[in-house]
Amino acid sequence: MQKGSENQTVSDESAALHELIRREIESQGPITFARFMELALYHPDHGYYERRLDQIGQRGDYYTSVSVGSLFGKLLAADFCARLEKLNSAGFDLVECGAHDGTLAADILTTTKNARQDLHAKLQYVIIEPSPRRRAAQRKNLAEHLDRVSWCEAIDDLGKGSVHGVVFANELLDSFPFHRLRWSRQQRQWHEDGVGCDGGRFVWVDMGGFGGTQRTGAADETSGPGSDWHAVCATAQALAEVLPDGFRLDYCPGAARWWRKAATALAKGALMTIDYGLTREELFSPHRHDGTARAYYRHAVDDELLAMAGEKDITAHVDFSALIEAGEAQGLITECMIDQATYIMRILQHSGELLDTASALAQQDRTALVTLVHPSGLGRAFRVLSQVRGG
Ligand SMILES: C[S@@+](CC[C@H](N)C(=O)[O-])C[C@H]1O[C@@H](n2cnc3c(N)ncnc32)[C@H](O)[C@@H]1O
């Protein structure tokens, strides 16, 4: 046992969630943190993302670029229109995953409709959404655009080579369940910190060496090592002389799996993610000794990951190296990995006319622009990875 944590249950739903996690641990033994996170965030009845939709924005727990205002959607629309134009195809797909309540989709579709009717008429906007509740909310918020929108449940539902256009996600992959690993300097091996229960409290439990087959609660996104595991181990072994005992890595095999599937679906166009994340080299830097996992509750950040399950968001930085490798293995070419500020300034430089038509940068948009590009806002911490196929 390592470290205990206070589990304040602050609602009936949290109490129910706490109880069902406790029962799973009681019947199976300690579960991986990835499994804990899957239940805490995505349990179909009690999960953080299932029970409400107001987590994002001023009255929620955290901000995203989407919640800053419609400018972010207008900027993406400008970039996407420029890309679609170059594809010169009879029809285009924009595929969004992690669409939450559909705000970004509405902002993009409103912009294309107002500014580029020619492209808009050829557009199919596909939302990948496993949750029936979120699909219903999206349908409501996209009432004006239903002629252009369709849904599918999982990335696997997109046929191989079926997408001509852009597959994209904003702050999706940081919310995928991850494993909490700890480096044992003596054994030169990763150990997994799982979750046990002690007198009704969730506590960290050493589950032994990671990389074997003893995982519990294995579902696709939460099961053991992915294709990037080999590279992670190679990096750790290369640094073994200097990697301190107890160095943490928040390892998310689901992110690279998702990226690989998205890459497979892309016939021609771009695969993009906008998220906070690091290269593998950066993830292994000494000041990341405690990993990057964080919890967000009412705009305060903490590392009490086991407390208040279902009430807080849980997240970790994305490993961009793993995504780059997964995409390139599927034949994609890495176009760029740049910070959000640079990405936005490039759009303004190259596709600014569309924005002028759409919004003439109202005062509200100018304020939003500062938040989106300022280094102390979202401009530096967020990065854009884009990989392309077919030019
Ligand atoms: C941090 S929020 C970001 C929401 C939105 N993209 C934004 O930027 O405001 C992450 C969203 O991804 C969704 N999500 C997580 N895993 C998903 C998956 N496998 N498929 C689709 N959506 C998922 C969550 O339900 C949540 O709505």
Side-chain angles (χ1 to χ4, degrees):
M1 305 270 173
Q2 294 176 325
K3 190 170 87 173
S5 164
E6 281 307 315
N7 302 126
Q8 298 164 254
T9 48
V10 292
S11 69
D12 287 351
E13 279 161 324
S14 289
L17 183 69
H18 189 281
E19 182 54 18
L20 72 89
I21 299 175
R22 193 187 64 74
R23 268 193 260 124
E24 183 163 319
I25 294 172
E26 220 169 65
S27 69
Q28 300 180 15
I31 56 174
T32 65
F33 179 73
R35 174 62 179 160
F36 176 88
M37 187 171 162
E38 187 183 34
L39 292 169
L41 296 191
Y42 305 112
H43 183 276
D45 295 320
H46 310 298
Y48 174 79
Y49 278 115
E50 283 295 338
R51 59 169 90 153
R52 15 186 284 252
L53 270 168
D54 60 355
Q55 302 91 341
I56 305 174
Q58 200 175 5
R59 281 181 304 199
D61 296 319
Y62 60 93
Y63 292 102
T64 67
S65 296
V66 178
S67 66
V68 168
S70 59
L71 180 65
F72 187 66
K74 290 172 185 165
L75 289 161
L76 290 192
D79 181 28
F80 296 166
C81 283
R83 289 171 184 277
L84 298 182
E85 202 152 37
K86 281 189 199 142
L87 281 183
N88 194 22
S89 162
F92 306 115
D93 308 298
L94 291 181
V95 182
E96 183 186 2
C97 190
H100 201 64
D101 61 1
T103 301
L104 179 59
D107 292 340
I108 291 172
L109 284 164
T110 302
T111 308
T112 55
K113 193 174 180 177
N114 291 343
R116 287 301 305 263
Q117 270 169 17
D118 53 335
L119 293 176
H120 186 81
K122 296 184 191 176
L123 204 64
Q124 181 66 16
Y125 198 106
V126 183
I127 296 180
I128 302 174
E129 182 54 76
S131 157
R133 283 185 201 175
R134 284 197 301 276
R135 269 204 300 276
Q138 290 157 5
R139 186 174 288 279
K140 202 167 151 208
N141 288 338
L142 288 163
E144 273 176 45
H145 300 288
L146 291 180
D147 56 332
R148 297 279 127 222
V149 185
S150 61
W151 280 264
C152 63
E153 279 186 33
I155 190 82
D156 311 71
D157 297 345
L158 299 173
K160 188 174 177 208
S162 62
V163 178
H164 289 74
V166 186
V167 183
F168 68 101
N170 187 61
E171 285 206 51
L172 167 75
L173 301 174
D174 70 83
S175 65
F176 275 14
F178 54 85
H179 294 265
R180 292 226 82 192
L181 306 186
R182 203 171 12 86
W183 180 249
S184 162
R185 191 177 162 104
Q186 196 189 11
Q187 296 171 9
R188 294 204 168 196
Q189 190 191 359
W190 293 104
H191 275 235
E192 176 156 26
D193 282 340
V195 184
C197 202
D198 183 17
R201 291 178 346 136
F202 297 129
V203 291
W204 293 109
V205 177
D206 185 344
M207 295 182 80
F210 181 83
T213 53
Q214 83 288 21
R215 310 267 76 78
T216 19
D220 181 39
E221 230 76 285
T222 60
S223 53
S227 55
D228 55 334
W229 183 238
H230 182 72
V232 170
C233 288
T235 307
Q237 293 300 343
L239 294 171
E241 288 306 320
V242 289
L243 203 57
D245 193 48
F247 184 92
R248 274 194 189 284
L249 185 71
D250 296 306
Y251 172 62
C252 180
R257 270 190 207 118
W258 186 90
W259 196 260
R260 174 173 47 76
K261 290 174 186 176
T264 312
L266 187 68
K268 201 170 178 193
L271 171 58
M272 294 175 62
T273 184
I274 306 160
D275 219 319
Y276 41 89
L278 300 164
T279 61
R280 191 170 295 124
E281 203 177 22
E282 290 166 333
L283 282 168
F284 275 87
S285 63
H287 70 284
R288 305 264 175 213
H289 181 273
D290 290 325
T292 63
R294 302 283 179 270
Y296 283 86
Y297 181 68
R298 297 190 182 160
H299 298 280
V301 59
D302 66 67
D303 58 3
E304 289 290 316
L305 305 183
L306 303 184
M308 296 170 65
E311 297 286 335
K312 306 202 286 190
D313 188 30
I314 304 173
T315 170
H317 280 50
V318 174
D319 178 347
F320 279 113
S321 300
L323 305 185
I324 289 171
E325 289 155 10
E328 289 181 354
Q330 297 306 312
L332 300 192
I333 293 166
T334 302
E335 181 188 52
C336 67
M337 190 183 74
I338 48 181
D339 63 32
Q340 177 163 295
T342 308
Y343 173 65
I344 289 176
M345 296 325 280
R346 281 188 192 175
I347 295 172
L348 290 172
Q349 260 171 1
H350 298 296
S351 318
E353 322 91 63
L354 182 134
L355 280 172
D356 290 341
T357 326
S359 70
L361 282 199
Q363 177 57 43
Q364 208 182 339
D365 284 340
R366 278 186 237 149
T367 312
L369 184 61
V370 175
T371 310
L372 295 178
V373 303
H374 199 278
S376 66
L378 304 169
R380 181 71 51 77
F382 282 78
R383 288 179 178 175
V384 181
L385 169 65
S386 168
Q387 294 188 311
V388 295
R389 193 192 299 283

